[in-house]
Amino acid sequence: MQNVQSAMERLRGLATASPVAELAAAFEAAGFELALVGGPVRDAFLGREVTDLDFTTDARPDDILRIVAPIADAHWDIGREFGTIGARFSGETVEITTYRADSYDGTSRKPVVAFGDTIEGDLHRRDFTVNALALQLPALTLVDPSDGTKDLMEATLRTPIEAAVSFGDDPLRMLRAVRFTSQLGFQLDIDSFDAIVELRRRILDISAERVRDELVKLLKTDTPRAGLELFVETGLAELVLPELPALQLERDDAHRHKDVYEHSITVLEQAIALERERNPGADADIVLRLAALLHDIGKPKTRRFGENRKVTFYNHDVVGAKLARKRLTSLRFDNDTMKSVSRLVELHMRVFNYEGAGWTDSAVRRFARDAGPELQRLLILIRADITTRNQRKSDRLLFAIDDLERRILELQEKEELDSVRPSLDGEQIMAILEIAPGPLVGKAYKHLLEVRLDEGPLEHDDAKQRLLEWWEANRP
């Protein structure tokens, strides 16, 4: 947290740069108020990089368009019904929104938009005091009607109005509170916590898409643990992602098994660290992070107690893959994300066979083939899945994974594993066997693919001979 003087210096520099200064001059000339609001002001106080420029004004949408159109490189009014106009200036995207005084009917998933007349009224309707800050332009006057700067200094999340009223107005704010604890590293104040616990079922009034987007934003933060723990503690997870709190299996001396919930969050943290190490500067990999968080969600349904109360979770990977697909479907994730996450969950145990006995070239090829485009994510996930405190066991597992990666790399360089296919294609198979297109061609192709995985690439004549041998045994 920077002091007020330093923060104001940052804001002053931002306000005198384009496009902020250009917009401030244009709105002043047109006789309207304009203020930089919310995240940019908050982040200036926190010493964080300012990435989004959001403005608020007393101008109505038609007036905003009239002012912005002559000076912007592009503009759009996709959010016009909510009073928001977007524009682009030299590659910089901005949003300008008319002062709002939203109201909710208690059952609708969307606010009833009502435009306001004062900036103070607009700020009071925002989610948290740390986001209810504005810098009036071009005067550079800080507007803070709910002591947001004090909460910034104390690293506290608090609502500008009574928490129960705020969350009742827009239940999505409960998930935003969860996300901000991780994104900003702040603590939620007790009144807000209690209000979320009391009103948690109102999250069911929010569309699955909006809930999904908040969950994704939480998982994209650098340190999502605090938010996930609050997610579970408030009871929101039970309604949004019930598989997560279900991982809190009881622990006692008799059962002696891992705390699967704690393990899963640790795996997520380790996956994020490996993701940064292997892909520095890249955007957060939401597929990998979802897979890390959900990789063991099949354990509660597959837990069994054997001799001496030994706990097993046989087939939890297969069960977990089905549960992951079902949950991601209900949260309206796209098909590619659902497919990739469920595949990673299904495959995350495959590597542990290697640690026990080592793999043949055939097994390595099949591992790479089964992982397909998810191979690199899968290798990160299985590394992150090592959370044992037994150093010897950890070293042994990591050595096995290092060796497997080396073997995959060697075979990739030698055999082009990324595009494993038989030495003969469908046209060649039909010509050699003198058959027409049909199921037999597919069966022959599949046989040659198995040979390829077992033995590696074959010369054309060798592949032809293997095909003819198969044909002798399988011709109709």
Side-chain angles (χ1 to χ4, degrees):
M1 169 70 183
Q2 296 193 346
N3 62 42
V4 174
Q5 184 177 352
S6 298
M8 291 303 295
E9 284 297 325
R10 289 193 71 196
L11 288 170
R12 189 171 291 108
L14 186 63
T16 55
S18 180
V20 180
E22 192 173 5
L23 279 168
F27 274 79
E28 184 180 40
F32 291 105
E33 297 175 3
L34 183 72
L36 190 65
V37 68
V41 183
R42 177 200 68 210
D43 290 342
F45 277 89
L46 294 176
R48 296 161 60 99
E49 180 183 1
V50 175
T51 55
D52 299 309
L53 293 177
D54 295 325
F55 298 88
T56 188
T57 178
D58 59 344
R60 296 309 194 243
D62 288 345
D63 296 316
I64 298 174
L65 279 171
R66 178 172 54 81
I67 296 168
V68 166
I71 60 176
D73 299 328
H75 60 84
W76 51 93
D77 60 357
I78 193 170
R80 186 170 185 161
E81 64 175 306
F82 297 106
T84 299
I85 303 298
R88 183 176 297 111
F89 296 81
S90 303
E92 187 89 53
T93 299
V94 305
E95 286 191 350
I96 308 165
T97 303
T98 302
Y99 294 157
R100 295 262 291 270
D102 294 346
S103 60
Y104 295 75
D105 61 14
T107 58
S108 174
R109 295 182 176 189
K110 292 183 179 180
V112 178
V113 176
F115 297 137
D117 297 315
T118 68
I119 190 169
E120 290 80 9
D122 178 89
L123 295 177
H124 271 298
R125 57 157 287 279
R126 293 180 179 262
D127 53 5
F128 300 102
T129 61
V130 297
N131 294 328
L133 299 169
L135 183 72
Q136 286 187 314
L137 302 168
L140 301 182
T141 302
L142 183 67
V143 185
D144 180 14
S146 52
D147 285 336
T149 51
K150 178 176 180 290
D151 288 333
L152 279 173
M153 294 177 65
E154 296 176 354
T156 298
L157 281 178
R158 182 172 58 86
T159 55
I161 59 177
E162 184 181 345
V165 174
S166 180
F167 296 145
D169 281 349
D170 184 0
L172 188 66
R173 289 172 176 168
M174 297 188 290
L175 279 181
R176 286 172 63 83
V178 165
R179 190 239 301 180
F180 280 130
T181 58
S182 282
Q183 183 176 325
L184 302 178
F186 285 11
Q187 293 288 324
L188 187 64
D189 84 307
I190 188 62
D191 289 341
S192 297
F193 180 91
D194 290 343
I196 292 176
V197 172
E198 179 184 350
L199 298 173
R200 63 187 182 277
R201 295 199 65 82
R202 287 291 311 280
I203 200 64
L204 299 176
D205 296 337
I206 301 299
S207 69
E209 291 83 359
R210 294 179 74 202
V211 169
R212 173 204 63 207
D213 290 347
E214 277 302 322
L215 183 59
V216 167
K217 289 176 182 178
L218 168 60
L219 291 178
K220 282 185 174 182
T221 62
D222 292 338
T223 54
R225 173 183 285 274
L228 289 170
E229 291 177 343
L230 185 62
F231 188 38
V232 171
E233 290 167 6
T234 56
L236 286 170
E238 188 67 43
L239 301 167
V240 173
L241 189 63
E243 294 79 8
L244 182 60
L247 295 175
Q248 294 178 306
L249 305 176
E250 70 272 13
R251 297 185 65 193
D252 56 44
D253 292 338
H255 295 166
R256 297 175 184 171
H257 61 267
K258 286 182 180 178
D259 181 334
V260 185
Y261 167 73
E262 172 63 28
H263 164 76
S264 297
I265 294 181
T266 300
V267 171
L268 171 61
E269 291 176 318
Q270 295 186 166
I272 291 173
L274 288 167
E275 173 192 331
R276 290 193 196 122
E277 178 185 315
R278 296 194 174 198
N279 304 295
D283 291 339
D285 188 341
I286 193 62
V287 168
L288 173 64
R289 297 184 185 199
L290 280 167
L293 184 65
L294 303 179
H295 76 286
D296 274 347
I297 60 173
K299 283 190 171 181
K301 286 186 176 292
T302 59
R303 183 175 59 158
R304 300 291 183 272
F305 297 102
E307 294 183 8
N308 300 318
R309 301 291 290 169
K310 181 179 180 181
V311 182
T312 61
F313 303 99
Y314 294 130
N315 293 321
H316 77 272
D317 42 358
V318 177
V319 172
K322 293 177 181 178
L323 291 174
R325 179 178 284 275
K326 182 178 180 181
R327 180 54 54 195
L328 296 181
T329 298
S330 71
L331 288 170
R332 304 292 193 272
F333 277 89
D334 62 275
N335 287 330
D336 288 342
T337 298
M338 290 189 291
K339 181 179 178 181
S340 295
V341 172
S342 61
R343 190 61 171 158
L344 288 167
V345 173
E346 181 182 359
L347 295 176
H348 81 273
M349 292 297 292
R350 292 278 184 94
V351 73
F352 293 101
N353 297 327
Y354 183 90
E355 188 270 331
W359 285 3
T360 61
D361 283 353
S362 172
V364 174
R365 292 187 194 101
R366 290 174 189 276
F367 178 85
R369 188 274 307 268
D370 290 347
E374 305 306 326
L375 179 59
Q376 294 307 314
R377 284 178 172 141
L378 181 59
L379 291 170
I380 291 177
L381 177 59
I382 60 180
R383 281 186 181 277
D385 198 21
I386 300 173
T387 62
T388 178
R389 294 179 182 178
N390 184 322
Q391 190 61 48
R392 292 180 63 183
K393 182 178 181 181
S394 175
D395 290 344
R396 189 172 71 246
L397 289 169
L398 288 171
F399 175 81
I401 297 171
D402 286 341
D403 191 49
L404 175 60
E405 286 202 69
R406 178 186 59 78
R407 296 275 302 285
I408 290 172
L409 184 60
E410 289 175 353
L411 288 174
Q412 279 178 329
E413 292 176 349
K414 184 167 62 176
E415 303 180 8
E416 297 182 353
L417 278 188
D418 292 338
S419 56
V420 170
R421 56 179 58 88
S423 301
L424 302 175
D425 61 24
E427 294 289 338
Q428 293 170 311
I429 290 171
M430 289 188 289
I432 293 169
L433 300 183
E434 299 181 346
I435 59 175
L440 284 174
V441 179
K443 292 179 180 179
Y445 186 92
K446 184 176 180 180
H447 170 71
L448 289 177
L449 178 59
E450 293 298 316
V451 173
R452 167 72 173 84
L453 290 169
D454 284 338
E455 304 176 22
L458 297 177
E459 296 294 334
H460 176 84
D461 290 345
D462 292 333
K464 179 179 178 180
Q465 181 61 36
R466 300 298 288 273
L467 175 62
L468 291 172
E469 291 172 359
W470 175 86
W471 185 240
E472 281 299 315
N474 292 277
R475 77 164 65 211

mmCIF file of all heavy atoms in Angstrom, residues 6-38:
data_model
loop_
_atom_site.group_PDB
_atom_site.id
_atom_site.type_symbol
_atom_site.label_atom_id
_atom_site.label_comp_id
_atom_site.label_asym_id
_atom_site.label_seq_id
_atom_site.Cartn_x
_atom_site.Cartn_y
_atom_site.Cartn_z
ATOM 1 N N SER A 6 2.039 9.446 -2.684
ATOM 2 C CA SER A 6 2.611 8.671 -3.786
ATOM 3 C C SER A 6 1.522 8.217 -4.756
ATOM 4 O O SER A 6 1.712 8.242 -5.986
ATOM 5 C CB SER A 6 3.358 7.446 -3.246
ATOM 6 O OG SER A 6 4.441 7.834 -2.433
ATOM 7 N N ALA A 7 0.378 7.783 -4.193
ATOM 8 C CA ALA A 7 -0.719 7.341 -5.042
ATOM 9 C C ALA A 7 -1.238 8.481 -5.910
ATOM 10 O O ALA A 7 -1.519 8.298 -7.107
ATOM 11 C CB ALA A 7 -1.846 6.782 -4.185
ATOM 12 N N MET A 8 -1.353 9.663 -5.331
ATOM 13 C CA MET A 8 -1.837 10.804 -6.093
ATOM 14 C C MET A 8 -0.855 11.201 -7.184
ATOM 15 O O MET A 8 -1.257 11.649 -8.268
ATOM 16 C CB MET A 8 -2.120 11.984 -5.156
ATOM 17 C CG MET A 8 -3.318 11.787 -4.235
ATOM 18 S SD MET A 8 -4.862 11.447 -5.118
ATOM 19 C CE MET A 8 -5.103 12.994 -5.998
ATOM 20 N N GLU A 9 0.435 11.019 -6.922
ATOM 21 C CA GLU A 9 1.443 11.294 -7.954
ATOM 22 C C GLU A 9 1.258 10.342 -9.134
ATOM 23 O O GLU A 9 1.340 10.743 -10.302
ATOM 24 C CB GLU A 9 2.854 11.151 -7.378
ATOM 25 C CG GLU A 9 3.279 12.321 -6.497
ATOM 26 C CD GLU A 9 3.346 13.620 -7.286
ATOM 27 O OE1 GLU A 9 3.731 13.583 -8.482
ATOM 28 O OE2 GLU A 9 2.991 14.679 -6.727
ATOM 29 N N ARG A 10 0.997 9.055 -8.831
ATOM 30 C CA ARG A 10 0.753 8.084 -9.898
ATOM 31 C C ARG A 10 -0.503 8.455 -10.680
ATOM 32 O O ARG A 10 -0.526 8.394 -11.912
ATOM 33 C CB ARG A 10 0.583 6.676 -9.325
ATOM 34 C CG ARG A 10 1.853 6.055 -8.786
ATOM 35 C CD ARG A 10 1.638 4.568 -8.549
ATOM 36 N NE ARG A 10 1.527 3.856 -9.811
ATOM 37 C CZ ARG A 10 1.044 2.622 -9.945
ATOM 38 N NH1 ARG A 10 0.560 2.000 -8.896
ATOM 39 N NH2 ARG A 10 1.002 2.042 -11.114
ATOM 40 N N LEU A 11 -1.552 8.831 -9.967
ATOM 41 C CA LEU A 11 -2.799 9.193 -10.628
ATOM 42 C C LEU A 11 -2.638 10.460 -11.462
ATOM 43 O O LEU A 11 -3.206 10.583 -12.548
ATOM 44 C CB LEU A 11 -3.903 9.382 -9.581
ATOM 45 C CG LEU A 11 -4.425 8.092 -8.928
ATOM 46 C CD1 LEU A 11 -5.323 8.415 -7.742
ATOM 47 C CD2 LEU A 11 -5.173 7.235 -9.946
ATOM 48 N N ARG A 12 -1.833 11.389 -10.949
ATOM 49 C CA ARG A 12 -1.591 12.634 -11.692
ATOM 50 C C ARG A 12 -0.872 12.315 -13.013
ATOM 51 O O ARG A 12 -1.206 12.866 -14.067
ATOM 52 C CB ARG A 12 -0.772 13.603 -10.845
ATOM 53 C CG ARG A 12 -0.654 15.005 -11.449
ATOM 54 C CD ARG A 12 -0.016 15.991 -10.477
ATOM 55 N NE ARG A 12 -0.910 16.274 -9.352
ATOM 56 C CZ ARG A 12 -0.718 15.830 -8.117
ATOM 57 N NH1 ARG A 12 0.329 15.066 -7.830
ATOM 58 N NH2 ARG A 12 -1.576 16.139 -7.154
ATOM 59 N N GLY A 13 0.080 11.414 -12.940
ATOM 60 C CA GLY A 13 0.785 11.020 -14.159
ATOM 61 C C GLY A 13 -0.146 10.328 -15.133
ATOM 62 O O GLY A 13 -0.067 10.548 -16.357
ATOM 63 N N LEU A 14 -1.050 9.492 -14.604
ATOM 64 C CA LEU A 14 -2.006 8.797 -15.456
ATOM 65 C C LEU A 14 -2.979 9.788 -16.094
ATOM 66 O O LEU A 14 -3.333 9.677 -17.275
ATOM 67 C CB LEU A 14 -2.779 7.766 -14.615
ATOM 68 C CG LEU A 14 -3.742 6.824 -15.339
ATOM 69 C CD1 LEU A 14 -2.991 5.942 -16.322
ATOM 70 C CD2 LEU A 14 -4.469 5.953 -14.316
ATOM 71 N N ALA A 15 -3.402 10.775 -15.308
ATOM 72 C CA ALA A 15 -4.406 11.728 -15.779
ATOM 73 C C ALA A 15 -3.875 12.667 -16.847
ATOM 74 O O ALA A 15 -4.655 13.237 -17.626
ATOM 75 C CB ALA A 15 -4.942 12.532 -14.598
ATOM 76 N N THR A 16 -2.570 12.874 -16.880
ATOM 77 C CA THR A 16 -1.991 13.795 -17.867
ATOM 78 C C THR A 16 -1.540 13.076 -19.126
ATOM 79 O O THR A 16 -1.046 13.709 -20.062
ATOM 80 C CB THR A 16 -0.794 14.541 -17.255
ATOM 81 O OG1 THR A 16 0.160 13.594 -16.751
ATOM 82 C CG2 THR A 16 -1.252 15.446 -16.121
ATOM 83 N N ALA A 17 -1.699 11.751 -19.148
ATOM 84 C CA ALA A 17 -1.297 10.979 -20.316
ATOM 85 C C ALA A 17 -2.512 10.726 -21.209
ATOM 86 O O ALA A 17 -3.654 10.820 -20.789
ATOM 87 C CB ALA A 17 -0.673 9.651 -19.883
ATOM 88 N N SER A 18 -2.268 10.411 -22.469
ATOM 89 C CA SER A 18 -3.339 10.044 -23.379
ATOM 90 C C SER A 18 -3.746 8.591 -23.104
ATOM 91 O O SER A 18 -2.886 7.767 -22.769
ATOM 92 C CB SER A 18 -2.855 10.167 -24.824
ATOM 93 O OG SER A 18 -3.859 9.825 -25.730
ATOM 94 N N PRO A 19 -5.021 8.242 -23.190
ATOM 95 C CA PRO A 19 -6.154 9.067 -23.637
ATOM 96 C C PRO A 19 -6.909 9.762 -22.504
ATOM 97 O O PRO A 19 -7.915 10.406 -22.753
ATOM 98 C CB PRO A 19 -7.061 8.022 -24.287
ATOM 99 C CG PRO A 19 -6.869 6.801 -23.440
ATOM 100 C CD PRO A 19 -5.408 6.816 -23.045
ATOM 101 N N VAL A 20 -6.435 9.613 -21.253
ATOM 102 C CA VAL A 20 -7.173 10.173 -20.122
ATOM 103 C C VAL A 20 -7.306 11.690 -20.258
ATOM 104 O O VAL A 20 -8.403 12.249 -20.112
ATOM 105 C CB VAL A 20 -6.499 9.802 -18.780
ATOM 106 C CG1 VAL A 20 -7.275 10.405 -17.609
ATOM 107 C CG2 VAL A 20 -6.409 8.286 -18.630
ATOM 108 N N ALA A 21 -6.186 12.346 -20.533
ATOM 109 C CA ALA A 21 -6.215 13.809 -20.647
ATOM 110 C C ALA A 21 -7.111 14.251 -21.796
ATOM 111 O O ALA A 21 -7.849 15.250 -21.697
ATOM 112 C CB ALA A 21 -4.799 14.336 -20.845
ATOM 113 N N GLU A 22 -7.062 13.511 -22.907
ATOM 114 C CA GLU A 22 -7.872 13.858 -24.080
ATOM 115 C C GLU A 22 -9.362 13.736 -23.769
ATOM 116 O O GLU A 22 -10.163 14.604 -24.130
ATOM 117 C CB GLU A 22 -7.495 12.920 -25.235
ATOM 118 C CG GLU A 22 -8.039 13.325 -26.583
ATOM 119 C CD GLU A 22 -7.495 12.454 -27.703
ATOM 120 O OE1 GLU A 22 -6.767 11.485 -27.408
ATOM 121 O OE2 GLU A 22 -7.815 12.734 -28.873
ATOM 122 N N LEU A 23 -9.728 12.673 -23.075
ATOM 123 C CA LEU A 23 -11.127 12.485 -22.706
ATOM 124 C C LEU A 23 -11.586 13.551 -21.703
ATOM 125 O O LEU A 23 -12.691 14.095 -21.811
ATOM 126 C CB LEU A 23 -11.322 11.090 -22.098
ATOM 127 C CG LEU A 23 -11.466 9.940 -23.092
ATOM 128 C CD1 LEU A 23 -11.356 8.606 -22.356
ATOM 129 C CD2 LEU A 23 -12.798 10.021 -23.823
ATOM 130 N N ALA A 24 -10.732 13.840 -20.720
ATOM 131 C CA ALA A 24 -11.088 14.838 -19.706
ATOM 132 C C ALA A 24 -11.366 16.183 -20.358
ATOM 133 O O ALA A 24 -12.354 16.871 -20.012
ATOM 134 C CB ALA A 24 -9.965 14.959 -18.684
ATOM 135 N N ALA A 25 -10.529 16.582 -21.307
ATOM 136 C CA ALA A 25 -10.714 17.870 -21.983
ATOM 137 C C ALA A 25 -11.998 17.875 -22.811
ATOM 138 O O ALA A 25 -12.738 18.872 -22.836
ATOM 139 C CB ALA A 25 -9.510 18.158 -22.884
ATOM 140 N N ALA A 26 -12.280 16.746 -23.486
ATOM 141 C CA ALA A 26 -13.460 16.677 -24.344
ATOM 142 C C ALA A 26 -14.747 16.742 -23.520
ATOM 143 O O ALA A 26 -15.705 17.437 -23.898
ATOM 144 C CB ALA A 26 -13.427 15.386 -25.172
ATOM 145 N N PHE A 27 -14.801 16.041 -22.394
ATOM 146 C CA PHE A 27 -16.011 16.067 -21.573
ATOM 147 C C PHE A 27 -16.193 17.430 -20.896
ATOM 148 O O PHE A 27 -17.316 17.925 -20.777
ATOM 149 C CB PHE A 27 -15.966 14.942 -20.527
ATOM 150 C CG PHE A 27 -16.486 13.630 -21.051
ATOM 151 C CD1 PHE A 27 -15.686 12.833 -21.861
ATOM 152 C CD2 PHE A 27 -17.760 13.205 -20.757
ATOM 153 C CE1 PHE A 27 -16.159 11.625 -22.363
ATOM 154 C CE2 PHE A 27 -18.251 12.000 -21.253
ATOM 155 C CZ PHE A 27 -17.439 11.204 -22.067
ATOM 156 N N GLU A 28 -15.080 18.044 -20.474
ATOM 157 C CA GLU A 28 -15.183 19.366 -19.849
ATOM 158 C C GLU A 28 -15.687 20.386 -20.859
ATOM 159 O O GLU A 28 -16.546 21.224 -20.536
ATOM 160 C CB GLU A 28 -13.825 19.788 -19.298
ATOM 161 C CG GLU A 28 -13.885 21.116 -18.542
ATOM 162 C CD GLU A 28 -12.520 21.531 -18.007
ATOM 163 O OE1 GLU A 28 -11.517 21.348 -18.726
ATOM 164 O OE2 GLU A 28 -12.462 22.040 -16.866
ATOM 165 N N ALA A 29 -15.183 20.286 -22.078
ATOM 166 C CA ALA A 29 -15.614 21.236 -23.111
ATOM 167 C C ALA A 29 -17.099 21.075 -23.425
ATOM 168 O O ALA A 29 -17.782 22.041 -23.782
ATOM 169 C CB ALA A 29 -14.779 21.036 -24.379
ATOM 170 N N ALA A 30 -17.615 19.840 -23.271
ATOM 171 C CA ALA A 30 -19.026 19.578 -23.545
ATOM 172 C C ALA A 30 -19.910 19.867 -22.340
ATOM 173 O O ALA A 30 -21.136 19.726 -22.426
ATOM 174 C CB ALA A 30 -19.207 18.126 -23.986
ATOM 175 N N GLY A 31 -19.312 20.254 -21.222
ATOM 176 C CA GLY A 31 -20.079 20.619 -20.042
ATOM 177 C C GLY A 31 -20.491 19.452 -19.158
ATOM 178 O O GLY A 31 -21.450 19.564 -18.387
ATOM 179 N N PHE A 32 -19.745 18.346 -19.235
ATOM 180 C CA PHE A 32 -20.081 17.172 -18.427
ATOM 181 C C PHE A 32 -18.945 16.810 -17.477
ATOM 182 O O PHE A 32 -17.774 17.152 -17.730
ATOM 183 C CB PHE A 32 -20.377 15.964 -19.324
ATOM 184 C CG PHE A 32 -21.638 16.086 -20.123
ATOM 185 C CD1 PHE A 32 -21.586 16.365 -21.483
ATOM 186 C CD2 PHE A 32 -22.872 15.932 -19.512
ATOM 187 C CE1 PHE A 32 -22.743 16.478 -22.230
ATOM 188 C CE2 PHE A 32 -24.043 16.057 -20.253
ATOM 189 C CZ PHE A 32 -23.975 16.330 -21.617
ATOM 190 N N GLU A 33 -19.305 16.118 -16.396
ATOM 191 C CA GLU A 33 -18.305 15.613 -15.449
ATOM 192 C C GLU A 33 -17.705 14.313 -15.985
ATOM 193 O O GLU A 33 -18.354 13.566 -16.723
ATOM 194 C CB GLU A 33 -18.965 15.332 -14.089
ATOM 195 C CG GLU A 33 -19.553 16.562 -13.414
ATOM 196 C CD GLU A 33 -20.289 16.205 -12.129
ATOM 197 O OE1 GLU A 33 -20.287 15.003 -11.759
ATOM 198 O OE2 GLU A 33 -20.855 17.117 -11.499
ATOM 199 N N LEU A 34 -16.470 14.048 -15.581
ATOM 200 C CA LEU A 34 -15.819 12.783 -15.935
ATOM 201 C C LEU A 34 -14.871 12.412 -14.801
ATOM 202 O O LEU A 34 -14.182 13.276 -14.247
ATOM 203 C CB LEU A 34 -15.036 12.901 -17.247
ATOM 204 C CG LEU A 34 -14.378 11.593 -17.734
ATOM 205 C CD1 LEU A 34 -15.443 10.617 -18.251
ATOM 206 C CD2 LEU A 34 -13.329 11.862 -18.813
ATOM 207 N N ALA A 35 -14.836 11.131 -14.438
ATOM 208 C CA ALA A 35 -13.928 10.676 -13.377
ATOM 209 C C ALA A 35 -13.403 9.295 -13.705
ATOM 210 O O ALA A 35 -14.121 8.445 -14.231
ATOM 211 C CB ALA A 35 -14.652 10.652 -12.028
ATOM 212 N N LEU A 36 -12.141 9.111 -13.401
ATOM 213 C CA LEU A 36 -11.544 7.781 -13.436
ATOM 214 C C LEU A 36 -12.030 7.064 -12.182
ATOM 215 O O LEU A 36 -12.004 7.624 -11.082
ATOM 216 C CB LEU A 36 -10.022 7.894 -13.431
ATOM 217 C CG LEU A 36 -9.195 6.636 -13.703
ATOM 218 C CD1 LEU A 36 -9.430 6.139 -15.133
ATOM 219 C CD2 LEU A 36 -7.711 6.932 -13.488
ATOM 220 N N VAL A 37 -12.492 5.804 -12.331
ATOM 221 C CA VAL A 37 -13.192 5.198 -11.213
ATOM 222 C C VAL A 37 -12.780 3.740 -11.008
ATOM 223 O O VAL A 37 -12.356 3.049 -11.941
ATOM 224 C CB VAL A 37 -14.728 5.287 -11.440
ATOM 225 C CG1 VAL A 37 -15.159 4.405 -12.609
ATOM 226 C CG2 VAL A 37 -15.506 4.925 -10.184
ATOM 227 N N GLY A 38 -12.898 3.289 -9.748
ATOM 228 C CA GLY A 38 -12.762 1.870 -9.439
ATOM 229 C C GLY A 38 -11.350 1.336 -9.472
ATOM 230 O O GLY A 38 -10.430 1.899 -8.862
#
